[in-house]
Every structure is written in C-alpha cells, then in structure tokens.
Amino acid sequence: DLRQLTNDNENLQTEIQDIQLKLKQVNEGQYQAMLALQSEIDKGLMAAGMVTVEGPGIEVILNNPSPGGADNDYSAELFLIRDEDILKLVNELRASGAEAISLNGQRVIATSEIRFAGSFINVNTTRVVPPYQILAIGDPDELERNLMLSGGLKDYLSNFGIQVKVETNEKLTVPAFSGDLNYKYVGQS
C-alpha cells in the first residue's frame, strides 16, 4: 500500500508540475495577447487622431496677400485664402504620405470640417485666422518635394499673392483631436 501511495504521490506531483507549466504558458500567452491588443488600440487611436504625436515633417505657413504688395496685377482683397485652398493643401499633404496634420493647433481627422463661416474659416467648429500654420508629420523631404513641384500647389497659391512658407523640421508635435465625436444616428448591430 505504501509503495502504491508513493507511486500515486509521484504521479500527482508530476501532474501538478505539468499543470503549473501549462498555467504559466497560458499566463504568458495572455500577457502577450494583451500587449498585442494594446498595440492595436494604440495604432487605432493614433490613426483616428485621438493622441498627440511627434515626429519629423513640415510646417507650412499661409498668409493672405499684403495689400498693395501683391506681385500680380490683381487686388489683394480679391484673393484671400479660402477654405478650399486649405482643403487642397491638406489633401496634397495626405496624398504625399502625411500621417498626422494640424491647422492652427486643431487636429485634422477624417471627420474634420474645414469651411467658411462668414468671413472666417472654421476647423472642427473652431474659428481660425491667418496666418494659417499647418503641421504635417511624415517624410519631410517627400512632403516638401510634392508641395514645391513646378506648377504645383505652392505656385498656384503664390500666383494669387498668397504668402506660402514651407520648412522641414525633424521634430514636430501635432496635438490630439479635442472635438466632440457624438454620433446621433450610428449604432452597433
């Protein structure tokens, strides 16, 4: 009986060690799965513009033409920066690989509005006034090269007397989106 109990005890000890090893593997796998999920959540938050990001990129400053100082034959009052000019710039930056964009401190995300409201431009329902500072994080050389193409957007804006200044930067900070994401008609199924 004693030998049988000793053998049973040894078998149970071996089974305990196996179960403890499996439990350890499960816990490690759970921790790695949680890390992978957190990484995906972080990527989603960054892509949605919900976190402040830093990185290399470019800074573009747009300012209205100077009265009487325009290099063309048109009146500077006729060619003020419009919402569509800023939209063209934002779209050009996105097409050039910008990963995060802000306009006068307002993060531009997929649902952002850039539109005229009276004599002002609103971004995310916040009034912005010239000079307009656009920060774009991405490959600075690629972003600058695409804006500076001959006959491109910079030339187009400059032809109307709009002052355009483009500078590359090794470290820019684009703030997180701070607006309201209240959806009234979207539900889960």
Side-chain angles (χ1 to χ4, degrees):
D1 286 343
L2 182 60
R3 270 188 230 147
Q4 182 61 38
L5 288 174
T6 303
N7 277 343
D8 289 346
N9 188 21
E10 287 174 4
N11 290 338
L12 289 173
Q13 288 297 328
T14 303
E15 193 174 331
I16 288 171
Q17 289 175 350
D18 287 344
I19 291 173
Q20 285 176 336
L21 178 62
K22 289 177 183 176
L23 182 61
K24 180 181 176 188
Q25 290 172 341
V26 166
N27 285 336
E28 287 175 358
Q30 182 182 19
Y31 178 72
Q32 289 176 351
M34 285 180 56
L35 287 178
L37 285 173
Q38 188 60 50
S39 174
E40 290 301 312
I41 289 170
D42 292 344
K43 285 179 189 176
L45 288 172
M46 186 174 70
M50 299 296 128
V51 294
T52 299
V53 292
E54 289 184 349
I58 65 168
E59 175 184 21
V60 180
I61 306 290
L62 297 179
N63 207 350
N64 285 321
S66 301
D71 292 335
N72 54 40
D73 297 333
Y74 307 106
S75 168
E77 290 78 29
L78 293 177
F79 296 103
L80 299 178
I81 298 170
R82 300 185 50 85
D83 54 344
E84 49 198 56
D85 298 325
I86 294 174
L87 282 169
K88 286 177 186 175
L89 178 61
V90 167
N91 288 333
E92 182 71 32
L93 292 169
R94 282 186 179 144
S96 301
E99 297 172 7
I101 300 172
S102 70
L103 171 60
N104 284 21
Q106 291 293 313
R107 180 72 171 263
V108 178
I109 63 172
T111 58
S112 289
E113 298 174 344
I114 300 174
R115 62 182 176 86
F116 257 129
S119 59
F120 299 97
I121 294 178
N122 280 350
V123 178
N124 301 327
T125 68
T126 299
R127 182 181 291 179
V128 294
V129 295
Y132 301 108
Q133 178 195 43
I134 297 97
L135 301 179
I137 293 179
D139 179 351
D141 297 329
E142 183 71 16
L143 295 171
E144 182 182 38
R145 183 174 29 259
N146 287 328
L147 286 182
M148 305 299 268
L149 287 172
S150 179
L153 188 58
K154 181 185 182 297
D155 286 351
Y156 170 79
L157 295 172
S158 295
N159 284 340
F160 292 111
I162 295 172
Q163 302 169 34
V164 182
K165 180 180 170 187
V166 179
E167 289 185 4
T168 62
N169 198 315
E170 287 305 311
K171 186 175 180 185
L172 295 173
T173 302
V174 173
F177 178 75
S178 60
D180 187 19
L181 291 177
N182 186 11
Y183 297 106
K184 292 167 54 175
Y185 303 104
V186 175
Q188 295 179 333
S189 58

